Amino acid sequence: MSTPRLVAGVDSSTQSCKVVIRDADTGALVRTGTAPHPDGTEVHPAAWWDALCQAAAAAGGLGDVAALSIAAQQHGMVCLDGDGSVVRPALLWNDTRSARAASDLVAELGAKEWAEAVGTVPVASFTATKLRWLADHEPAHADRTAAVCLPHDWLTWRLTDGRDISTLTTDRSDASGTGYWSPATGQYRTDLLEQAFRRTPLVPRVLGPTERAGVLEPTGFAAAGLLNAGSARARLGLAETDPLMLAAGAGDNAAAALGLGVRPGDVVVSIGTSGTVFAVCDTPPADPTGTVAGFADATGRFLPLVCTLNAARVLDAGRALLGVSAGELSRLALSAPAGADGLTLIPYLEGERTPNRPDASGELHGLRLANSTPAHLARAYVEGMLCGLADGLDALTGLGVLSDGPGRVFLIGGGARSEAVRAIAPAILGRPVLVPAPAEYVANGAAAQAAWLLSGGAEPPRWEAADTELFEDQPLPWLRERYRECRDRAL
Ligand SMILES: Nc1ncnc2c1ncn2[C@@H]1O[C@H](COP(=O)(O)OP(=O)(O)O)[C@@H](O)[C@H]1O
Ligand SMILES: O=C(CO)[C@@H](O)[C@H](O)COP(=O)(O)O
């Protein structure tokens, strides 16, 4: 029997780095590893590199892997100087300090004009607004910035070169989250980059879905001038003789869409640090309200997406408040009645991106003696978080980009591991929900992209779909209505 060819997929997400190693032909899972990322919304990229090395080691190393693809959290601003050194820690997608810069940029050009130019209207998450913040607040760092790239671009480049900024690459999906690349034309809008940053740094070359970002040759680390090349290869579990092909990589949500094999009409709801609701479609969306971001996907199509800042960590906060485990929060939530007897959480604990309220905070409405119990509070936390996502699903549906949809609604991400979330989601989202078996769907999508690179086929590999469990319940329009009233009062 021949040895299977292996591929690796990476999800360098907000809270951790995950590596999955799969059989390139069958998709069978071979090994996995994870490592945590530091907390905070400002992180030095070296921490992602360390976590990638640790996660690769925990997955048994990459020595027998033929191709690798890196997917990562979107939008983070990584500034490099002319020598390829990091200028300052990266500002992540959930750092809201550029909210004022975002509203300045909208005022300068107009929301409709931004949506038509790049598919998105500036909010604090997008790279363009972070660059404007840097220009306004740290001009010395802005002056030193010779190139700007994103988390997955930097990690891929760190593996293939790590020194020459002219070799930086990205892909369509991540480029579409910058605010200066147009999914509709497939071109950078250098004028908008300059408008945001008042400078024109080098930006990564945008690769198509099956293009190769590079090859990590046996001598690669030394050629790249990385200090202690031998130890870097050793940390990744690579033997001195192993070449490793690097795929284009992707933004995490596009990778998840690829990993799940979503079809036009399907919707994915992901509950990670961010809450996202997205679909794939064949025409570039442009929502002048900015609610739906018109991203590109990782297969050559488009990825309309709504993103909230408050998802799995709302559940974490509920647990901390009640001093209980994730399992106990879930049990408590399921022991309270739907609607928590009038207790409603508006879950904007981190400010909010959709709706665009970067300075908002969370609010509890309707506290009474009768609902002042741990169970009611747990229920309100789960329901409030899901109502934020249901608003996102409404916006996506309202934009008319779902062909005959919504069809299948998938629920993924760390938060989908909660039994209460799975059970309550159908009533709040107003439709049946398919929960794939718990797995790292972003890293799986990256692994599929690596296998696609190896196969050179016209379509991504057709690996066996994950087992799914169907959750159904009667929609609760009255609960959504009460949430809307409290939300609008809060806003
Ligand atoms: N059983 C569970 N119940 C509730 N939340 C969970 C559970 N398991 C994991 N989580 C939460 O999921 C989050 C991590 O999810 P993940 O999708 O990996 O996030 P990210 O991609 O943003 O790093 C954490 O906030 C964690 O507390
Ligand atoms: O900003 C977005 C999408 O626009 C987020 O979805 C980030 O890509 C972070 O994802 P997670 O780490 O929460 O999965």
Side-chain angles (χ1 to χ4, degrees):
M1 214 170 70
S2 63
T3 321
R5 284 185 318 165
L6 300 185
V7 287
V10 175
D11 176 11
S12 176
S13 72
T14 312
Q15 296 191 46
S16 63
C17 182
K18 305 134 192 181
V19 173
V20 303
I21 298 177
R22 290 188 174 267
D23 181 318
D25 298 313
T26 65
L29 183 63
V30 179
R31 307 190 298 267
T32 64
T34 67
H37 282 159
D39 267 346
T41 60
E42 183 174 330
V43 171
H44 196 287
W48 304 328
W49 171 256
D50 285 342
L52 172 59
C53 291
Q54 279 174 41
L62 303 174
D64 50 358
V65 168
L68 173 139
S69 165
I70 296 181
Q73 53 176 314
Q74 298 185 250
H75 317 303
M77 178 189 72
V78 180
C79 293
L80 303 175
D81 69 12
D83 297 326
S85 300
V86 173
V87 170
R88 75 178 312 292
L91 297 187
L92 306 193
W93 65 276
N94 53 352
D95 188 292
T96 53
R97 78 186 71 180
S98 60
R100 173 69 195 270
S103 47
D104 287 350
L105 287 169
V106 175
E108 287 165 25
L109 193 68
K112 182 167 164 287
E113 287 71 13
W114 278 104
E116 281 167 3
V118 289
T120 52
V121 179
V123 288
S125 289
F126 299 145
T127 327
T129 71
K130 297 176 190 304
L131 288 169
R132 169 58 71 85
W133 179 89
L134 193 71
D136 285 346
H137 293 86
E138 297 183 356
H141 284 150
D143 285 343
R144 229 186 104 202
T145 299
V148 61
C149 65
L150 302 171
H152 110 252
D153 312 345
W154 185 83
L155 281 169
T156 306
W157 174 77
R158 179 79 168 75
L159 281 165
T160 54
D161 183 322
R163 191 170 52 176
D164 177 0
I165 55 175
S166 73
T167 67
L168 279 162
T169 58
T170 188
D171 86 306
R172 293 172 70 247
S173 67
D174 238 2
S176 66
T178 58
Y180 43 81
W181 185 83
S182 162
T185 65
Q187 301 294 322
Y188 276 110
R189 286 294 303 259
T190 313
D191 55 328
L192 298 181
L193 172 60
E194 194 183 348
Q195 166 123 9
F197 198 34
R198 305 192 188 99
R199 298 155 180 80
T200 322
L202 190 146
V203 282
R205 187 164 61 89
V206 183
L207 302 175
T210 56
E211 276 188 84
R212 196 174 72 179
V215 182
L216 176 53
E217 297 289 356
T219 51
F221 280 101
L226 293 172
L227 288 178
N228 205 348
S231 106
R233 289 189 72 86
R235 286 185 72 194
L236 287 165
L238 286 163
E240 290 304 319
T241 51
D242 301 326
L244 180 63
M245 281 223 267
L246 277 258
D252 54 0
N253 295 291
L258 180 57
L260 286 163
V262 303
R263 307 189 291 251
D266 292 342
V267 175
V268 181
V269 177
S270 170
I271 305 178
T273 314
S274 62
T276 55
V277 184
F278 55 92
V280 293
C281 64
D282 292 320
T283 48
D287 174 8
T289 72
T291 307
V292 180
F295 295 150
D297 84 341
T299 68
R301 293 185 289 194
F302 301 94
L303 192 88
L305 178 146
V306 180
C307 180
T308 73
L309 292 181
N310 296 287
R313 276 184 167 156
V314 173
L315 306 181
D316 296 346
R319 289 205 285 125
L321 201 63
L322 293 169
V324 297
S325 67
E328 183 60 5
L329 183 89
S330 188
R331 194 195 63 73
L332 283 168
L334 289 172
S335 72
D341 287 325
L343 189 62
T344 303
L345 175 78
I346 302 302
Y348 301 157
L349 309 187
E350 291 271 78
E352 191 44 280
R353 161 167 160 188
T354 317
N356 185 18
R357 294 289 183 275
D359 300 323
S361 51
E363 291 187 8
L364 260 182
H365 292 253
L367 259 176
R368 310 185 77 87
L369 281 178
N371 60 25
S372 296
T373 74
H376 287 87
L377 198 64
R379 181 102 196 179
Y381 267 65
V382 173
E383 289 180 345
M385 185 272 290
L386 286 169
C387 280
L389 292 169
D391 283 353
L393 181 57
D394 287 351
L396 199 62
T397 311
L399 199 63
V401 289
L402 301 172
S403 56
D404 307 325
R408 301 179 299 173
V409 176
F410 292 100
L411 188 63
I412 60 165
R417 294 179 194 251
S418 154
E419 196 189 334
V421 167
R422 295 196 298 269
I424 297 171
I428 305 240
L429 297 177
R431 32 198 108 239
V433 167
L434 283 168
V435 184
E440 297 301 342
Y441 287 96
V442 174
N444 286 351
Q449 192 192 55
W452 196 5
L453 174 67
L454 284 186
S455 77
E459 295 291 329
R462 290 196 194 289
W463 291 340
E464 200 176 319
D467 288 341
T468 53
E469 195 176 347
L470 180 67
F471 288 80
E472 294 181 276
D473 204 350
Q474 289 304 314
L476 298 174
W478 57 266
L479 196 160
R480 291 281 315 279
E481 186 49 41
R482 201 180 56 228
Y483 175 86
R484 258 191 294 273
E485 277 167 22
C486 298
R487 177 200 66 193
D488 294 347
R489 232 181 297 151
L491 295 180

